Amino acid sequence: DKLAAKLDGMMSSIDAAIDRKVELKLASLRAQSPAEPRAAVAGSAPEAAASRSDAERAAPSGRRRKAEATGGGAGGENPGGNSGFGSEASSDGARSTCRSQSVKAPKDWCGIAGAKTAGCFDKWEKNYMEENADKLRKGLKAIRAPGCFPTGTSIATMGYFRTGSTLLYNIARVWASLAADESLVAGWMCKDPRTLGIGVLGEEQAECTTVCKDHSWHTGIPESTTVVLMSRRDPFYSVCSRKLMDVWCNLDQSNRKEKASWDEIYAYKAKCKTDPELERPETVRQCHALMQMQAEIYFEREMKGKQVAYDVLNEDYQRDPVGEIQRIGRAMGICEAAVKDDDLVHMIVRMGEELRSHPDRDMGITQMHDVHTSKQRQEKCSNLEAWMRTDPGCKAWMDANASHTANA
């Protein structure tokens, strides 16, 4: 028991250190910019035309949660090479001359040379395509036809922690796999597509496609990525997920001359979780950390003269997965003939359901993680929403369905 407790403490300390590094990175970026990021974001241009206005969104988040137990969801927060339909489905189409095996992407990405499985379809998706070959043939011909999906495209799926960004990544991955097949590489932690040769004229990899998932920018990526997709969620769920993951009540040691002992770290965490005077400000701090992440992603992209193509609200996906999957496809540049193909869209809807039902399968491809339940939230997070709403900035963000325009 003592060993387990020590390991738990070590993991919490590591999580806290990562959070601190993210905060320091964001602070450094703000210091380099000519204006305060959130102020710039608040006055930025509206979301792309694909995104609907917040006035059309659902009722306030508190009322939505009361009905949570009756509905499904988008879940939490990498499939294959030749799908078996490559030559037949694409006989009339313009296929990329690039092969993903030529891309020097990270070794844990799908589609690269030496990967455990060919391409970027997972096992369930490959089986689905084999079993539904006749239904999918028309849609595959459309999506692989000349001009339906631009070759040499780089797609980054971004979002603050626990927003359904993993679901968004997988929707983009499957759309891109259907379109690009053996020309796709995908995985966690975005890379500058120019360093991979993607979209660079004259390079062997110029016509390949990349899809990546990340929570913050790295050098060269905001300005060089073709399409940026974002995810957001009722902030209560994101903050609650942080608590359920125990990335919570970590002792702040940033101003200490000497490191705290493990006993001191454990003691603070235990007291914070049972003392409202400590846990309330911790809840507000977590909310502001997520706001800061979202603001920085938007700010850096817009500072480079680029836009976020589409920002998916998780609760919108719960209500209308078909519509959101189509909007994501359009934002990626996929043509209407493919976006409106019922069988392609249905496959992606089923993929999302499978992802939630079996999050532990093919995680090397899907990047999926644990999914929290309503019962867990009721047991551990009952006070969080009220505490979050004591802070004016957090409250305004919550009331606006986490829109970046309310994140000032």
Side-chain angles (χ1 to χ4, degrees), residues 3-136:
L3 179 59
K6 185 171 182 178
L7 288 172
D8 286 342
M10 291 175 66
M11 291 305 296
S12 294
S13 181
I14 292 170
D15 285 334
I18 293 172
D19 283 351
R20 181 59 180 163
K21 286 182 179 179
V22 170
E23 291 173 2
L24 290 172
K25 166 68 173 173
L26 297 178
S28 173
L29 289 168
R30 285 198 308 276
Q32 297 170 16
S33 64
E36 187 68 18
R38 287 199 190 158
V41 170
S44 62
E47 295 179 20
S51 178
R52 292 175 293 154
S53 69
D54 290 316
E56 298 175 300
R57 305 288 182 192
S61 56
R63 293 202 298 274
R64 288 199 306 271
R65 279 195 290 282
K66 292 179 182 178
E68 181 189 41
T70 63
E77 52 180 278
N78 302 349
N82 192 320
S83 60
F85 307 93
S87 58
E88 182 178 359
S90 63
S91 58
D92 296 328
R95 303 304 305 281
S96 168
T97 59
C98 179
R99 286 295 171 262
S100 62
Q101 290 83 357
S102 69
V103 180
K104 304 301 182 184
K107 62 181 181 180
D108 56 346
W109 282 29
C110 62
I112 64 170
K116 291 183 180 179
T117 58
C120 286
F121 284 114
D122 70 14
K123 184 176 180 180
W124 180 89
E125 292 153 3
K126 289 178 181 178
N127 289 339
Y128 183 94
M129 294 182 75
E130 290 176 2
E131 294 168 2
N132 296 274
D134 290 338
K135 290 182 179 179
L136 293 171

Side-chain angles (χ1 to χ4, degrees), residues 179-247:
D181 198 24
E182 291 183 317
S183 297
L184 174 69
V185 294
W188 159 249
M189 193 168 291
C190 295
K191 305 297 179 186
D192 185 340
R194 296 171 300 186
T195 66
L196 304 178
I198 294 175
V200 180
L201 292 177
E203 293 292 335
E204 180 184 3
Q205 303 84 6
E207 293 186 349
C208 273
T209 297
T210 179
V211 174
C212 63
K213 175 193 170 184
D214 218 323
H215 295 298
S216 60
W217 291 122
H218 310 285
T219 302
I221 301 173
E223 65 268 32
S224 59
T225 300
T226 313
V227 176
V228 174
L229 303 170
M230 281 284 287
S231 60
R232 57 194 167 102
R233 187 184 194 184
D234 178 346
F236 162 79
Y237 289 107
S238 298
V239 171
C240 178
S241 288
R242 298 282 285 170
K243 182 175 182 179
L244 293 175
M245 294 171 66
D246 202 28
V247 189

Side-chain angles (χ1 to χ4, degrees), residues 310-330:
Y310 189 55
D311 193 332
V312 185
L313 178 65
N314 188 279
E315 286 72 25
D316 280 349
Y317 185 91
Q318 293 180 25
R319 285 194 309 276
D320 182 19
V322 169
E324 291 304 310
I325 287 167
Q326 290 176 323
R327 293 180 188 98
I328 291 166
R330 289 189 187 100

Side-chain angles (χ1 to χ4, degrees), residues 190-389:
C190 295
K191 305 297 179 186
D192 185 340
R194 296 171 300 186
T195 66
L196 304 178
I198 294 175
V200 180
L201 292 177
E203 293 292 335
E204 180 184 3
Q205 303 84 6
E207 293 186 349
C208 273
T209 297
T210 179
V211 174
C212 63
K213 175 193 170 184
D214 218 323
H215 295 298
S216 60
W217 291 122
H218 310 285
T219 302
I221 301 173
E223 65 268 32
S224 59
T225 300
T226 313
V227 176
V228 174
L229 303 170
M230 281 284 287
S231 60
R232 57 194 167 102
R233 187 184 194 184
D234 178 346
F236 162 79
Y237 289 107
S238 298
V239 171
C240 178
S241 288
R242 298 282 285 170
K243 182 175 182 179
L244 293 175
M245 294 171 66
D246 202 28
V247 189
W248 196 258
C249 285
N250 293 313
L251 181 63
D252 182 6
Q253 301 189 55
S254 58
N255 295 319
R256 296 176 65 118
K257 293 182 178 180
E258 295 183 4
K259 294 284 186 179
S261 67
W262 284 112
D263 287 342
E264 189 176 357
I265 292 170
Y266 299 148
Y268 176 82
K269 182 180 279 284
K271 180 175 175 56
C272 174
K273 289 179 178 180
T274 58
D275 185 348
E277 293 301 312
L278 292 176
E279 193 170 24
R280 187 196 67 78
E282 169 68 11
T283 303
V284 172
R285 186 192 72 80
Q286 293 273 356
C287 181
H288 276 273
L290 300 180
M291 292 173 71
Q292 189 174 12
M293 289 180 70
Q294 182 194 53
E296 293 292 347
I297 294 170
Y298 264 94
F299 176 71
E300 289 193 59
R301 179 71 170 172
E302 293 176 351
M303 189 172 66
K304 301 298 183 180
K306 303 293 184 70
Q307 296 293 317
V308 171
Y310 189 55
D311 193 332
V312 185
L313 178 65
N314 188 279
E315 286 72 25
D316 280 349
Y317 185 91
Q318 293 180 25
R319 285 194 309 276
D320 182 19
V322 169
E324 291 304 310
I325 287 167
Q326 290 176 323
R327 293 180 188 98
I328 291 166
R330 289 189 187 100
M332 292 171 62
I334 298 172
C335 68
E336 283 298 298
V339 165
K340 289 183 177 179
D341 186 89
D342 292 340
D343 292 304
L344 293 185
V345 173
H346 180 70
M347 174 183 168
I348 301 176
V349 172
R350 289 285 295 110
M351 177 279 298
E353 295 169 351
E354 181 69 14
L355 198 66
R356 182 177 177 84
S357 299
H358 304 287
D360 58 337
R361 294 181 181 175
D362 276 335
M363 295 172 73
I365 290 178
T366 67
Q367 307 295 330
M368 192 55 179
H369 44 64
D370 59 318
V371 177
H372 297 138
T373 66
S374 298
K375 182 179 179 181
Q376 288 175 302
R377 286 189 278 267
Q378 290 166 3
E379 291 176 351
K380 301 290 186 180
C381 302
S382 59
N383 294 322
L384 299 193
E385 181 176 9
W387 285 338
M388 291 168 71
R389 289 186 174 280

